[in-house]
Amino acid sequence: MDRIGSLLERPKAYYNIDGVGELGIGFMLLCYTLFKWIQAHAPQHSIWDQAWVFWIYFGLMLSIIHYGSKAIKERITYPRTGFVEYRKRDTFWRPFFIAMAVSALSVGLFLTRRAHWDMTTLALLIGLYLAASYAYGFARRVRWKWAVACAMACGSVTIALLPADRSWAGAFELSMPLYGALFMVSGGISFWLYLRHTQAPAQDAQ
């Protein structure tokens, strides 16, 4: 049964063999951080405060992640380690639910900031949940990524202990760039290791 379970889990591990999954998540979090930074520094009642601008921005971001990841897979990963056809839930529903979760989080941030609620505790809980999810999804398959999971957890606790008044940057606005940077670093290292240890068949023949 353990062998069957490992075989069923193999496509999930293969999807991130080149670090593309982590790079996509990191890119999404950093894009969100950039949007919030632009909003904070744009003039009052500017176009950046309009809801439709966010949805256009979010759609472009998801398109870049989808087609960029697909291009890396087709041009780099598949020529080296072969093509794997994923279930529809992995190629459509999982990214869809992630996008909806980020959208709901963005709306929640907008409402809580207008109501001047204390978001520190909520940010801590989400940060610890994200660290646990990263540990389950990535670190349990690659040992060195436990350091990234620990950095996420420690960063969440540190941000929660900072003073509540941080001008434009609330707890989430500090958390998102931290998590995005950690995902990008982890994905970048995975991508570098993949390129270093996996050669294309033509190169192997030489």
Side-chain angles (χ1 to χ4, degrees), residues 59-205:
L60 290 174
M61 177 192 68
L62 289 181
S63 297
I64 292 173
I65 293 174
H66 173 74
Y67 291 106
S69 300
K70 186 177 180 180
I72 293 174
K73 293 290 185 184
E74 292 180 349
R75 296 177 181 272
I76 298 176
T77 307
Y78 295 150
R80 284 172 165 80
T81 48
F83 173 76
V84 171
E85 178 147 9
Y86 305 99
R87 296 179 180 179
K88 188 174 182 180
R89 70 180 186 185
D90 295 327
T91 58
F92 176 77
W93 290 112
R94 185 169 297 172
F96 174 79
F97 284 125
I98 291 175
M100 290 300 100
V102 173
S103 301
L105 176 61
S106 302
V107 174
L109 288 176
F110 178 77
L111 294 176
T112 50
R113 285 185 67 83
R114 283 206 163 186
H116 302 289
W117 294 344
D118 182 9
M119 297 185 295
T120 304
T121 302
L122 181 59
L124 172 62
L125 294 176
I126 291 179
L128 294 178
Y129 174 78
L130 183 62
S133 299
Y134 177 91
Y136 179 80
F138 301 104
R140 69 190 179 101
R141 298 187 181 98
V142 182
R143 188 171 300 175
W144 63 264
K145 293 187 179 184
W146 281 104
V148 180
C150 291
M152 286 186 185
C154 292
S156 301
V157 174
T158 300
I159 291 173
L161 294 176
L162 291 176
D165 184 13
R166 291 184 288 273
S167 64
W168 71 274
F172 282 107
E173 281 82 358
L174 287 178
S175 300
M176 292 301 107
L178 170 65
Y179 304 147
L182 288 173
F183 269 106
M184 291 296 287
V185 169
S186 179
I189 293 175
S190 298
F191 188 67
W192 176 76
L193 291 174
Y194 174 80
L195 293 178
R196 183 179 180 183
H197 297 296
T198 309
Q199 300 296 327
Q203 294 176 343
D204 289 339

